[in-house]
Amino acid sequence: MDKNQYIVAFEIGSSKIVGAVAEKSSAGMVSVSHLVEERLSNCVRYGCVQNVENVKAAINRIIKNIEDQVGGDVTQVYVGVSGRSLHSEVSEVNRGLDATKPITAEIISGIIRDASRNPIKNYETIAVVPRTFVVDKNVTADPVGVVGSSIKIKANLIVSKPAIKQNLTRVMSFGTNVKDYIVTPLAVGEYVLTDSERLGCMLVDLGAETTTVSIYKDGSLAYLSTLPLRGRNITRDISNGLSVLEDTAERVKKNINNPLENNVDNIVIEGVNS
């Protein structure tokens, strides 16, 4: 598969694995052209892979399906990172500067690398997300080109238990190269939030077994945490409250529109009225 024409990404969730293919046009526009998913049971718990071989087999089947659809080989993929232990920790780095020269992108990259070297006990740093830059006590969104004698960066370290990344690496050890591991909540925030919303909002992503809460302030991520609450709780509440099987409860949950709207469709599934 021509990597300049297609981008393949995987999200390995607690209830299913999704493979997505995005096609890049000659104008540089990217649009999703194929989605392939496989549902799994008890292979991934709270976002962490438990059964490596079953998940690996499912990904192989998805890749084969994708290759059949696009008529080419998948040579590299992006893989989403999420899970119960994923959260943010604040890191600060101060550095003196040569006041006669402007700040370069290389200097900023080095400072961000330094921020990632602040270890968090029992956790692995997955990504570093800058929050604020302060040059000579002046806050700036983009310090490149600014002249000053000192700079301070406050950043969020996105960390997780080492098992999250280790098991993803084991799953992807069958030959297809992982181009990069992407923190899923960051990708979601980048996609669904507008610039004005990032000035101050909370984004809640409800998954099958975990819920991720991301708080944005002044245009950047201020806080991230993953909670052991999930959509499956809602399914089980419906199942217990209506005395129906979980499969029926899941269908009821997914087929009900916004209950606050007056013109909700009167959906009936196996005798259960919405």
Side-chain angles (χ1 to χ4, degrees):
M1 181 179 294
D2 189 343
K3 64 183 179 181
N4 295 321
Q5 295 179 336
Y6 295 97
I7 301 170
V8 180
F10 278 90
E11 171 66 6
I12 303 173
S14 299
S15 63
K16 62 185 177 183
I17 300 173
V18 179
V21 182
E23 191 166 357
K24 187 176 182 180
S25 69
S26 58
M29 300 297 291
V30 176
S31 60
V32 175
S33 56
H34 299 85
L35 282 175
V36 182
E37 68 176 50
E38 282 221 11
R39 301 196 69 84
L40 293 177
S41 178
N42 298 320
C43 291
V44 181
R45 296 306 312 274
Y46 298 101
C48 182
V49 174
Q50 302 293 306
N51 191 315
V52 171
E53 293 305 316
N54 283 359
V55 173
K56 185 186 297 186
I59 289 178
N60 268 314
R61 290 192 295 270
I62 292 175
I63 288 178
K64 181 62 168 62
N65 191 318
I66 289 173
E67 289 177 337
D68 290 343
Q69 291 192 46
V70 301
D73 296 330
V74 176
T75 58
Q76 57 185 12
V77 299
Y78 291 89
V79 178
V81 180
S82 57
R84 182 175 182 172
S85 62
L86 193 77
H87 68 281
S88 63
E89 297 277 356
V90 177
S91 176
E92 291 189 7
V93 175
N94 294 275
R95 179 179 290 184
L97 300 171
D98 182 348
T100 65
K101 298 179 180 179
I103 298 171
T104 64
E106 289 75 18
I107 290 174
I108 299 303
S109 296
I111 295 173
I112 291 175
R113 284 195 300 270
D114 289 344
S116 68
R117 294 190 180 104
N118 293 336
I120 307 298
K121 187 177 180 180
N122 299 325
Y123 286 90
E124 176 184 5
T125 299
I126 307 297
V128 181
V129 183
R131 286 178 57 180
T132 57
F133 296 97
V134 181
V135 180
D136 290 346
K137 298 183 180 181
N138 296 312
V139 177
T140 176
D142 183 6
V144 174
V146 178
V147 175
S149 59
S150 67
I151 184 172
K152 179 174 74 172
I153 179 178
K154 176 182 283 189
N156 281 315
L157 304 183
I158 310 301
V159 302
S160 70
K161 291 291 187 181
I164 297 284
K165 183 81 171 289
Q166 288 170 359
N167 285 356
L168 287 176
T169 302
R170 293 186 181 107
V171 163
M172 301 305 300
S173 64
F174 54 83
T176 300
N177 179 52
V178 176
K179 186 173 178 64
D180 200 3
Y181 289 94
I182 305 297
V183 178
T184 301
L186 298 182
V188 171
E190 182 70 23
Y191 180 72
V192 305
L193 298 178
T194 64
D195 289 342
S196 60
E197 287 170 338
R198 291 190 190 93
L199 295 176
C201 75
M202 181 169 69
L203 174 64
V204 179
D205 186 2
L206 187 68
E209 289 193 335
T210 60
T211 295
T212 305
V213 177
S214 306
I215 296 177
Y216 289 80
K217 183 180 179 182
D218 298 330
S220 61
L221 181 75
Y223 175 82
L224 186 149
S225 183
T226 306
L227 310 174
L229 294 169
R230 65 269 198 193
R232 194 165 286 167
N233 290 76
I234 299 173
T235 302
R236 289 174 179 169
D237 285 346
I238 295 173
S239 175
N240 293 333
L242 300 179
S243 298
V244 295
L245 296 175
E246 280 198 21
D247 286 347
T248 300
E250 181 74 8
R251 291 173 59 202
V252 170
K253 181 182 74 174
K254 288 184 175 181
N255 281 280
I256 293 177
N257 293 323
N258 185 351
L260 300 181
E261 294 179 355
N262 293 325
N263 59 342
V264 173
D265 294 335
N266 186 27
I267 302 168
V268 178
I269 299 176
E270 296 183 25
V272 179
N273 189 295
S274 63

